[in-house]
Amino acid sequence: MATLKDLSRHLGISVTQVSRALNGHDDVSEDTKKRVRKAAKKLNYVPNMSARKLVSGRSGVVALVQKNNPDLIEDHNFVETVTNLSIEFSKLGKQFVLHIAPEDADEISVYQRLIAGGALDGFVVHEPADDDPRVEFLTSNDIPFVVHGRTLGELTYPFFDIDNFEVGYQLTKHLLDLGHRRIAFINGPRGLTYATFRVQGYEKALADYGVAFDPGLVSYGRMTEELGLVKTIEFNSLSGKFPTAIVAGHVRIAKGIYQAAEALGLSVPRDLSVVAHDDVIPKLRASAFYPALTVTRSGLRNSWEPLARYLSQLLDGGSVEDLQSVSSFEFVVRASTADIS
């Protein structure tokens, strides 16, 4: 049985165009609608009835599916995500549901079960991967969703993101401008798109300054103080090659770097310069670090309203192209970096 993606490939048009043509939207030409209907008949496309019910039933309920992990209950980013999405959807007259799946669950099966229940209007996809099977599944089955972030593939869905490539680039460039050449990067989890974009920005900045990329100076993991502490101490084992500066994917990582520096008898920034990305999390202020931390700054709180609004507008027939945003950020120079040129 053909899917929307099969029709898209057969016709050479986007999945979004195929979906909107089948649903009779006015922004699709009559010629395209006829071509899509003809192809659907030829390929034996049958609409997913559960997905249709999801769209047409309009229960006023949307959901976020999250796999459990040992750090989830202490993940302030996640707590802020869930709390504030609930608030923003409530403002729009919708209910927001959090579904925690077991750590070893097949996420696609979880989505299939939730869709089959027919009680949801759509989904928020959080922390997308480079090639995310959730996005693939939801798109192919014509199920409404919005992404907090984006994937590396075709952007045929609503999303709100920050320019993470530029985050990695600007943080690294700042250190390069100060004369640093051995710059380490303690990044978020490997394979998550924001982490991929950031390391691409880091690599580009190094290349622009003629500095060879050293994969041994790049680490990945969940963004915790422990990650920053452990990886910085591991860098200290690189005989004669300890970095003069570290880019941290989050201020929590930076906090661990500061702890490691103190344990190693290093001074920030005299012996080690540190920069980080700041999501502006309550009770973890980069300005309160000692010395105060240089950051790219973009509050997570700026994401919740557009994410809720975009999914709501999509459900009301809005055009996907109008429901996609890449936001900028502030660059705040403080006292955690030193000029060594």
Side-chain angles (χ1 to χ4, degrees):
M1 185 181 297
T3 66
L4 285 176
K5 191 163 186 179
D6 295 326
L7 291 178
S8 171
R9 288 172 176 162
H10 177 75
L11 293 164
I13 61 177
S14 71
V15 170
T16 300
Q17 284 182 290
V18 171
S19 174
R20 295 185 72 77
L22 289 171
N23 285 293
H25 286 278
D26 294 337
D27 59 350
V28 181
S29 70
E30 286 302 318
D31 180 63
T32 299
K33 289 176 184 175
K34 289 177 183 177
R35 287 178 57 219
V36 171
R37 286 195 292 266
K38 183 177 179 181
K41 185 175 181 180
K42 178 181 177 181
L43 298 180
N44 192 31
Y45 170 74
V46 178
N48 184 313
M49 296 312 295
S50 295
R52 293 295 184 205
K53 185 176 180 183
L54 183 90
V55 177
S56 62
R58 302 304 296 271
S59 64
V61 181
V62 297
L64 184 149
V65 178
Q66 173 68 43
K67 272 190 177 182
N68 193 22
N69 70 68
D71 302 317
L72 191 62
I73 196 169
E74 297 178 357
D75 187 337
H76 297 292
N77 282 25
F78 181 68
V79 172
E80 181 171 346
T81 298
V82 172
T83 301
N84 289 284
L85 279 176
S86 182
I87 291 170
E88 292 301 330
F89 278 115
S90 180
K91 290 178 182 177
L92 296 171
K94 299 186 182 301
Q95 296 181 50
F96 175 74
V97 175
L98 171 64
H99 182 93
I100 302 293
E103 193 169 353
D104 60 352
D106 175 3
E107 279 189 287
I108 301 306
S109 296
V110 174
Y111 278 98
Q112 287 172 329
R113 289 196 300 272
L114 291 172
I115 292 164
L120 299 172
D121 285 344
F123 294 92
V124 177
V125 175
H126 181 55
E127 291 195 330
D130 296 344
D131 183 17
D132 201 302
R134 299 170 296 174
V135 170
E136 166 83 12
F137 170 76
L138 294 170
T139 301
S140 296
N141 287 279
D142 198 21
I143 296 166
F145 67 101
V146 65
V147 180
H148 186 202
R150 53 192 155 141
T151 59
L152 297 183
E154 187 181 5
L155 303 176
T156 60
Y157 49 81
F159 67 84
F160 183 88
D161 198 7
I162 65 169
D163 191 343
N164 282 295
F165 177 93
E166 198 65 16
V167 164
Y169 185 89
Q170 292 299 333
L171 289 173
T172 309
K173 180 180 182 298
H174 176 69
L175 295 169
L176 290 161
D177 285 339
L178 294 173
H180 296 275
R181 293 298 180 264
R182 282 198 60 76
I183 302 170
F185 189 4
I186 306 178
N187 202 359
R190 187 189 297 273
L192 294 189
T193 315
Y194 73 82
T196 298
F197 279 132
R198 289 178 186 180
V199 82
Q200 287 175 352
Y202 163 82
E203 289 187 56
K204 179 64 165 58
L206 292 176
D208 285 352
Y209 282 70
V211 179
F213 172 71
D214 181 353
L217 290 176
V218 179
S219 296
Y220 297 86
R222 297 213 65 84
M223 297 189 295
T224 63
E225 291 178 33
E226 181 183 7
L227 178 68
L229 173 66
V230 171
K231 293 302 179 182
T232 303
I233 290 174
E234 286 181 1
F235 288 141
N236 191 51
S237 68
L238 301 174
S239 177
K241 296 183 178 181
F242 187 77
T244 62
I246 301 178
V247 177
H250 195 275
V251 290
R252 281 198 297 273
I253 295 174
K255 189 172 182 180
I257 295 170
Y258 274 47
Q259 292 169 352
E262 183 178 3
L264 294 169
L266 302 174
S267 170
V268 175
R270 187 189 65 224
D271 304 311
L272 179 67
S273 290
V274 183
V275 296
H277 180 66
D278 183 8
D279 284 324
V280 195
I281 300 299
K283 299 183 180 180
L284 189 58
R285 294 184 296 114
S287 60
F289 279 49
Y290 185 77
L293 182 63
T294 292
V295 295
T296 49
R297 190 174 188 271
S298 179
L300 271 179
R301 61 176 176 265
N302 299 329
S303 306
W304 317 131
E305 187 278 332
L307 285 169
R309 175 164 46 87
Y310 287 176
L311 183 52
S312 296
Q313 290 178 347
L314 180 69
L315 291 166
D316 289 336
S319 173
V320 168
E321 292 76 14
D322 298 328
L323 307 175
Q324 299 176 329
S325 294
V326 179
S327 178
S328 59
F329 54 85
E330 297 177 78
F331 195 100
V332 184
V333 178
R334 298 194 179 102
S336 63
T337 56
D339 191 328
I340 64 170
S341 58

